[in-house]
Amino acid sequence: MLRILVVNGPNLNLLGRREPDVYGTATLDEIEAMVATRAAELGVDVYFFQSNHEGAIIDRLHEAIDVCDGVVINPGAYTHYSYAIRDAIAAIGMPSVEVHLSDISAREDFRAVSVTAPVCIDQVSGLGAASYLEGLELLVSRLREED
Ligand code: DQA
């Protein structure tokens, strides 16, 4: 069975109470439950990780080597400037899809730049919690095409 790691970066632990007008009212637990349900429908295993720390995210990505088949990642604000997370995504050598709740192209200028997207196979942005579901589906289809 395909194994997918779902990574959430800084401040996403506060979803539900964090700027709900921008990010919606679903908590991270609720979003993860939605992803787990869709993963079960798709017949894949999912593992969840959230951290507010760049190095912890990098360590978790490294741990996925030889264990997972692909990654869905919302790097939070690290999207816009973490070359270290970008390098980690490239280093682990498995397909990754970047997801965002908000439409990062339609907000402040600094958010329109993603340094991580170029090493991902796709980016899904602006669909709220559904971005994670779309990201998971894109990743699973790509992995199944590879077989
Ligand atoms: C975000 C967008 C980022 O710009 C922001 O820093 C986040 C959340 C999103 O999911 O819309 O923390 O990644």
Side-chain angles (χ1 to χ4, degrees):
M1 204 183 273
L2 290 172
R3 289 157 298 185
I4 310 297
L5 174 64
V6 180
V7 176
N8 278 286
N11 299 305
L12 294 166
N13 55 309
L14 292 183
L15 287 177
R17 63 166 60 192
R18 174 191 181 199
E19 300 178 80
D21 47 321
V22 178
Y23 298 116
T25 51
T27 65
L28 185 57
D29 279 351
E30 287 165 349
I31 291 172
E32 289 180 346
M34 285 170 53
V35 173
T37 300
R38 184 60 55 89
E41 288 163 5
L42 292 167
V44 300
D45 280 337
V46 267
Y47 306 89
F48 296 106
F49 181 74
Q50 189 277 328
S51 177
N52 296 322
H53 304 278
E54 187 177 32
I57 292 168
I58 292 165
D59 286 343
R60 185 63 188 90
L61 289 168
H62 291 179
E63 283 167 21
I65 295 173
D66 297 333
V67 179
C68 290
D69 301 291
V71 176
V72 173
I73 183 164
N74 183 347
Y78 285 136
T79 303
H80 314 301
Y81 66 94
S82 176
Y83 296 116
I85 289 178
R86 173 197 169 112
D87 283 354
I89 293 169
I92 60 176
M94 67 187 78
S96 299
V97 174
E98 178 178 312
V99 299
H100 300 282
L101 295 141
S102 63
D103 179 358
I104 59 170
S105 68
R107 299 180 61 194
E108 301 95 326
D109 287 351
F110 77 88
R111 292 189 206 273
V113 176
S114 169
V115 302
T116 45
V119 293
C120 293
I121 60 165
D122 218 329
Q123 183 197 66
V124 184
S125 177
L127 305 181
S131 292
Y132 289 82
L133 304 181
E134 177 84 11
L136 178 69
E137 281 163 16
L138 282 166
L139 179 62
V140 170
S141 343
R142 176 63 70 90
L143 288 167
R144 290 192 167 143
E145 276 167 20
E146 282 176 6
D147 278 350

